[in-house]
Amino acid sequence: MLKTSLAISLRVVSLSIVMGGLVWQGHAVKADESPVRLNAVQQRLLRILTAPSEKARLKSIALLQKDPDFLNMNFHVLLAATQTLLESSEEQAKSDDETELAFPPDSLIAYFELLAAHPTPDSKQLLRKALDHPNDFVAMVAGDVVGRREWIEMVEPLCSLVKRDAFSTHYGFRFTVVRALVCIRHPDAYKLLQQLGKELTGELAKEIENKLADVTLRDFGGEEELFNQWRSEIKSKVKLAEFNVAEDAEAPKTQNSLYVADYHSASTPRKYARPSYYGIDLDANRILFILDTSGSMQEPTRYGVKLAQAKKELNDAIESLPPSTEFSILFFSDRVRAWNDELVFATPENRKSAIKSVNSLTSAGKTNTCGVMKSSLEFDDQLEAVFFLTDGAPTTGSTTNPQRILEEFAYANRWRHLRMHTIGVGVSDATQQFLKRLAEISGAEFIQVD
């Protein structure tokens, strides 16, 4: 008997695979179905793909990814393994409230990716089932996979993810679903985005507005009447770019920071003034400022002492926040301290308290970059953007290796979707490259201050 990491007991002696579903040996099989028996090698592969060891599962999936022929011969085994893990995690989600937001293991995510890369009726059926999974994060990952594959037949279950509680309570979930809707390129998705654009605030509202401005007749499958009706409904509600109604027109090439790879670290030109911090617009509705208070922040620059100048810039940014914005501040040197342990609205009282706390800061100690990165990722599920100011390389913490910090942040943030804007104050070339990369991998901006 084997126990998987998802707490399921398997007695895998032999498995029957039938078209349109998976059936354990001994269960009834319809007369018109032709079961495929697993040979000894395939039984062993199934045991590994559903084994307790995540390392073993990932090793096997790497083999399937590397060898297309081996994958084709064992695709039904992958289907069976995915089905097993989905059913196990579904039982857990129903039996324990604490596991509802448990994130799926990397192996299950890899299974989803392989299934989506080979769109058979069985793989689509399984991913459709994953979209209805009671574990919100399992459904979220499935939504991301089918969205990027532009599976139009999945638009209805994808749209249903908006109705989940996690859409309201978790920014990473919300971001992933909106990005999937953007990818799906279907009128129903655009109609839902139109509605969400009126309901959401902060960076996602801005991204939806940008996307809707880029929709063309091609995105409506050339159905001009339907497109014109949609355009007339939305034109009065958002500021749209000039629509190109030519059937073969390409979508305008505008910045869309839902896709990090297409992001350029430069502020988009604005038609009107917005609150900003070191020239970076404060578009997010939930913001965390991070300020380095290590000993080197007492050093002078051409404009004065580093910490004194950083205090002034931060105080100006806090003072400019509208009352509807939620914010907090982390101060760090050897250890990480919070002005407030949770996000609070930028009321006059809270702004005054924050500024008073900033003004009382002194500089001392080393630079625990890794620690403050971890604290920012764990700060609040609704957090949208972080503004990280430092003047030096990591010098203390669980790791001081910049590349290791980048890797750990990228991994932890892959579904969290925090924008990590970075400000380097008189930093070395090496630290400048580190901060640039930290911003780039999160679709954010880097600013160098001399």
Side-chain angles (χ1 to χ4, degrees), residues 325-355:
T325 299
E326 296 177 62
F327 80 105
S328 190
I329 314 169
L330 294 181
F331 311 116
F332 80 105
S333 53
D334 298 273
R335 64 188 182 91
V336 180
R337 297 179 293 114
W339 161 67
N340 198 303
D341 290 332
E342 58 186 13
L343 296 173
V344 297
F345 286 104
T347 62
E349 295 79 10
N350 286 333
R351 293 201 304 269
K352 182 178 179 180
S353 173
I355 290 172

Side-chain angles (χ1 to χ4, degrees), residues 436-450:
K436 276 185 177 179
R437 185 60 185 145
L438 188 59
E440 287 172 357
I441 62 178
S442 62
E445 298 186 47
F446 164 75
I447 297 295
Q448 170 70 30
V449 180
D450 295 326

Side-chain angles (χ1 to χ4, degrees), residues 136-147:
D136 290 329
F137 283 163
V138 170
M140 178 193 75
V141 172
D144 179 71
V145 170
V146 302

Side-chain angles (χ1 to χ4, degrees), residues 162-382:
V162 172
K163 300 176 183 178
R164 294 199 177 213
D165 290 342
F167 190 85
S168 300
T169 61
H170 197 283
Y171 179 73
F173 185 96
R174 196 158 57 246
F175 184 103
T176 302
V177 173
V178 167
R179 182 173 62 181
L181 290 170
V182 166
C183 291
I184 208 72
R185 300 170 68 89
H186 187 277
D188 289 346
Y190 295 134
K191 289 177 181 178
L192 181 54
L193 286 171
Q194 175 187 348
Q195 178 183 341
L196 292 175
K198 295 182 290 183
E199 298 174 356
L200 297 177
T201 57
E203 294 201 344
L204 278 182
K206 181 189 68 174
E207 297 300 340
I208 290 173
E209 181 176 334
N210 290 342
K211 175 56 187 177
L212 294 181
D214 289 350
V215 174
T216 67
L217 180 59
R218 167 180 276 184
D219 296 313
F220 276 72
E223 297 185 23
E224 189 167 352
E225 183 177 351
L226 183 62
F227 172 67
N228 288 334
Q229 180 183 354
W230 176 83
R231 181 177 63 168
S232 64
E233 291 175 356
I234 193 175
K235 196 169 186 180
S236 61
K237 298 174 183 176
V238 297
K239 296 179 180 179
L240 299 179
E242 186 66 27
F243 280 89
N244 188 339
V245 299
E247 184 171 352
D248 59 349
E250 293 291 338
K253 302 297 183 182
T254 61
Q255 176 178 300
N256 183 350
S257 46
L258 287 169
Y259 303 93
V260 173
D262 296 332
Y263 188 86
H264 302 286
S265 294
S267 295
T268 304
R270 308 295 183 187
K271 293 183 179 179
Y272 53 92
R274 288 179 175 174
S276 64
Y277 180 52
Y278 283 97
I280 305 174
D281 290 329
L282 299 172
D283 289 316
N285 217 42
R286 299 175 180 90
I287 296 170
L288 181 66
F289 296 101
I290 297 178
L291 182 60
D292 185 348
T293 61
S294 61
S296 58
M297 287 292 289
Q298 194 57 38
E299 296 174 357
T301 66
R302 70 172 69 179
Y303 301 110
V305 174
K306 292 178 181 178
L307 184 58
Q309 291 300 309
K311 286 180 180 181
K312 180 182 182 303
E313 290 286 343
L314 180 53
N315 286 342
D316 289 345
I318 292 170
E319 194 62 52
S320 72
L321 294 175
S324 59
T325 299
E326 296 177 62
F327 80 105
S328 190
I329 314 169
L330 294 181
F331 311 116
F332 80 105
S333 53
D334 298 273
R335 64 188 182 91
V336 180
R337 297 179 293 114
W339 161 67
N340 198 303
D341 290 332
E342 58 186 13
L343 296 173
V344 297
F345 286 104
T347 62
E349 295 79 10
N350 286 333
R351 293 201 304 269
K352 182 178 179 180
S353 173
I355 290 172
K356 180 179 180 180
S357 182
V358 170
N359 287 336
S360 68
L361 293 172
T362 57
S363 56
K366 297 181 179 180
T367 308
N368 188 358
T369 304
C370 184
V372 81
M373 289 292 99
K374 182 179 180 181
S375 294
S376 68
L377 286 162
E378 298 174 350
F379 192 81
D380 191 293
D381 285 344
Q382 292 283 40

